[in-house]
Amino acid sequence: LKNILGVKKSTPTYMVYKEIGVESLSNIRCLRIIKYWLKVITLEQTSPVKKIYDTLLSDYNNNNGINNWASGVRDVLFSNGFGYAWTHQNVPNVNKFISEFKLRLKDIFNQKCNNEISKLSINRIYKSLDYDSRNYLVEIRKTHLRIAITKLRLSSHALMNERGRWMNVDYHLRLCESCNVLEDEFHIVNVCSRYITLRKKYIPYKVYNKPSMAKFIDLIDNSTGLKLKKLGIFCHKVFSNYSKEVLLQ
């Protein structure tokens, strides 16, 4: 997923999942396990698969704590609040159960992601963004422009606010070499003297004239059409120029 988005491997995985809005692989795995288990418990007693399952179940019941496939199913059910299904080895309505189980997995995963994001530094721009504003992933067809916006949103770049974190530089000392103020996404888009020409060409005047965080976040979250494309071009050119002008010095 990180390769698809074009972000660094060090980018937090939960941010990547939230940005794309897809199910986690662990959720998919758990759902498949439970779907198969539901089929197994309804098999005839003469079925070889059912006999094997009953043996595993007996081993678990007679040797409390033993780890086998049956105990794995039990752990999945109990950890997600469906222990009753394991206790009864039956569910009244299979389709309804699967639907509720799938929703529970999704809710728990989203809660975990939101909790991890809440722990991010207050200086991370992603904490202020609307996670559901992903229209750029579909609307921007040119990969390099889409990746540039993703890098801005997920702070997967080498601007000083991030580079300084790798170098253990105090946050207030992560300064722009040109402006001698904090170099972060807001500064680059709205203020930095190095990108005045690009800013006038690609960023709406009302955004960088008397800039504010509210207008900056609105630009990232709600841009569409030509405005969104121009943001992508601006980010791509800035990150490219930054690599040449700053990182390669």
Side-chain angles (χ1 to χ4, degrees), residues 11-163:
T11 303
T13 301
Y14 50 84
M15 287 172 59
V16 173
Y17 275 121
K18 290 294 288 187
E19 188 69 1
I20 299 180
V22 298
E23 290 288 329
S24 71
L25 296 179
S26 61
N27 278 8
I28 295 173
R29 172 179 171 271
C30 287
L31 183 61
R32 288 178 177 175
I33 289 173
I34 298 306
K35 282 183 175 180
Y36 183 69
W37 173 74
L38 290 170
K39 291 181 179 179
V40 170
I41 61 177
T42 58
L43 293 173
E44 297 291 338
Q45 291 297 327
T46 56
S47 168
V49 174
K50 186 64 164 63
K51 289 180 179 181
I52 293 173
Y53 173 71
D54 287 342
T55 299
L56 293 173
L57 183 60
S58 177
D59 286 345
Y60 173 77
N61 289 332
N62 295 329
N63 301 278
N64 192 25
I66 190 172
N67 291 319
N68 58 27
W69 187 79
S71 68
V73 172
R74 177 192 180 281
D75 292 344
V76 170
L77 290 170
F78 271 93
S79 65
N80 290 287
F82 291 91
Y84 71 89
W86 174 263
T87 301
H88 296 291
Q89 288 291 301
N90 183 40
V91 296
N93 186 315
V94 172
N95 290 333
K96 182 180 179 182
F97 179 85
I98 291 175
S99 178
E100 292 176 349
F101 184 78
K102 184 177 181 179
L103 181 60
R104 182 71 57 80
L105 287 176
K106 183 178 181 180
D107 288 344
I108 291 175
F109 179 71
N110 284 335
Q111 189 174 38
K112 287 180 178 178
C113 285
N114 291 338
N115 184 52
E116 291 300 320
I117 290 174
S118 71
K119 296 178 183 177
L120 288 172
S121 165
I122 59 173
N123 303 305
R124 281 266 195 168
I125 184 178
Y126 202 70
K127 291 191 69 172
S128 302
L129 299 181
D130 180 356
Y131 311 142
D132 294 323
S133 297
R134 313 183 192 96
N135 57 303
Y136 79 95
L137 292 174
V138 176
E139 193 170 337
I140 296 294
R141 298 301 180 88
K142 293 186 177 181
T143 303
H144 67 287
L145 300 185
R146 187 261 301 159
I147 289 176
I149 294 177
T150 302
K151 287 182 175 181
L152 180 75
R153 288 174 60 91
L154 272 62
S155 298
S156 184
H157 49 60
L159 300 181
M160 195 58 197
N161 65 323
E162 278 298 295
R163 197 165 81 257

Side-chain angles (χ1 to χ4, degrees), residues 26 220 249:
S26 61
I220 299 174
Q249 284 183 352

